[in-house]
Amino acid sequence: MRARTALCLATVALFLTAAWTGNCFAGSGLAGTPKDETVAGAVSTRTEAAWTAVVPQSADADIQADTASVDNGWNARLEEAGPAPTEKKPGQHSSSHVGIGVKISTLGAGIETAVPLAAKANLRGGVNFFQYNRAIINDGIHYAGQLQFRSAEAHLDFYPFGGFHVSPGVLFYNDNQLTANAAVPGGQNFTLNGTAYQSDSTNPVTGTGKLDFVKVSPSIMLGFGNLIPRSGRHYSFLFEVGGAYQGSARVALNLTGSVCDTNGANCVPTSNSTVQANVLAQQQKIRNDINPYRFFPVVSIGFGFNF
């Protein structure tokens, strides 16, 4: 306020000084003389003196202080605001384009990859593999079995909140199967569908067996972890539980050789209609034993990295 008052007074003084100087020039007969520079110097000197008289040094200091105050306030606000935040907020798209993970699950060892579709959705796909050999005996029949898991899967990962996700999907290639070579040493008893036989000593029973499922199986998974975290992290820990509906098992049991009664007499080839009926019934028995696994449980844990 003091600075504005001083400025107004200085303006009035300037006009009064100019008027007084003009009157003096007119009265002295010097108006229109060629010494313009002398007159201009006089006017400038008197104007300066008038300004100094009206606006004291304290007012000038106030003006400078006010200007500095405004500048400091503006700079302080800029410093408080700081640089624009770069951290991603929940729900924003990640700057990463691809996520890759490795995992261990009841489907075997797996590798998977994911790409973002939206702020809360990814498309994920992967492959799994596992192999295990084991000899087993069932109803007196010796099986040299090989358990082989091979599958390919795809999921739509939806994240309703945080890292929790619901993932409907499909095993679009389900090659999980059990194969075996079957044999019954000659002279040893075994059963087919509850009927007792003895393997012919001269033509012992041998064969093959296979258990598998349909190639395409729908699945559903629930879990925590995101191959492409929206927080901007480049790594993630993954955990999932769920299952794939693979339906009833398909069982094939093929036997060759000859079977006899438990005393080793009355031997007939396994192609005999009565023996084949018992073979088919044995297949159904195995299918019923595996039936609880038509919804195959999946538990998975893994680690991912994105870039």
Side-chain angles (χ1 to χ4, degrees):
M1 177 62 88
R2 293 173 56 189
R4 292 180 181 177
T5 303
L7 185 61
C8 292
L9 292 174
T11 303
V12 172
L14 181 61
F15 277 100
L16 291 175
T17 303
W20 177 79
T21 304
N23 290 334
C24 290
F25 278 33
S28 60
L30 295 175
T33 61
K35 296 182 180 182
D36 292 338
E37 293 180 1
T38 303
V39 174
V43 172
S44 176
T45 302
R46 294 190 181 186
T47 302
E48 235 178 75
W51 174 264
T52 303
V54 177
V55 183
Q57 292 182 356
S58 60
D60 188 39
D62 288 343
I63 292 173
Q64 294 179 359
D66 290 344
T67 303
S69 176
V70 171
D71 290 343
N72 291 338
W74 177 254
N75 292 334
R77 289 188 181 91
L78 290 177
E79 290 177 0
E80 289 177 2
T86 58
E87 185 178 349
K88 295 183 179 299
K89 297 179 180 179
Q92 288 183 331
H93 284 282
S94 171
S95 59
S96 299
H97 300 291
V98 178
I100 297 176
V102 293
K103 64 178 181 178
I104 296 293
S105 76
T106 50
L107 290 171
I111 301 173
E112 56 186 358
T113 184
V115 294
L117 293 181
K120 294 187 177 183
N122 295 343
L123 179 63
R124 175 168 55 101
V127 295
N128 309 285
F129 46 90
F130 176 75
Q131 185 170 307
Y132 178 68
N133 299 329
R134 184 179 178 182
I136 61 174
I137 300 175
N138 181 260
D139 292 333
I141 303 175
H142 296 249
Y143 296 97
Q146 182 182 76
L147 179 64
Q148 173 184 282
F149 280 2
R150 293 178 183 174
S151 60
E153 59 184 323
H155 296 277
L156 176 62
D157 298 328
F158 174 66
Y159 293 84
F161 55 86
F164 174 76
H165 62 90
V166 179
S167 304
V170 61
L171 292 180
F172 58 88
Y173 176 70
N174 181 0
D175 194 30
N176 298 338
Q177 59 178 275
L178 173 64
T179 58
N181 292 320
V184 181
Q188 181 174 317
N189 293 340
F190 68 101
T191 61
L192 289 173
N193 190 36
T195 302
Y197 295 100
Q198 185 179 107
S199 180
D200 189 353
S201 298
T202 60
N203 186 21
V205 173
T206 61
T208 60
K210 182 177 181 179
L211 184 154
D212 66 354
F213 301 89
V214 294
K215 293 300 181 184
V216 178
S217 305
S219 66
I220 182 70
M221 302 295 293
L222 304 174
F224 292 90
N226 191 340
L227 277 175
I228 309 178
R230 299 313 194 261
S231 64
R233 291 196 321 268
H234 288 286
Y235 62 88
S236 56
F237 294 96
L238 313 168
F239 175 76
E240 286 186 311
V241 294
Y245 184 78
Q246 54 189 359
S248 297
R250 300 181 298 190
V251 180
L253 180 60
N254 300 301
L255 298 178
T256 62
S258 298
V259 297
C260 311
D261 60 26
T262 56
N263 296 319
N266 303 315
C267 297
V268 295
T270 56
S271 58
N272 177 273
S273 60
T274 302
V275 177
Q276 281 299 305
N278 286 327
V279 170
L280 294 176
Q282 185 70 18
Q283 287 182 176
Q284 185 60 45
K285 180 178 181 297
I286 297 173
R287 186 180 295 111
N288 292 339
D289 291 341
I290 301 297
N291 203 42
Y293 293 98
R294 63 186 182 274
F295 189 82
F296 188 81
V298 179
V299 180
S300 170
I301 185 170
F303 174 81
F305 181 80
N306 65 85
F307 53 92

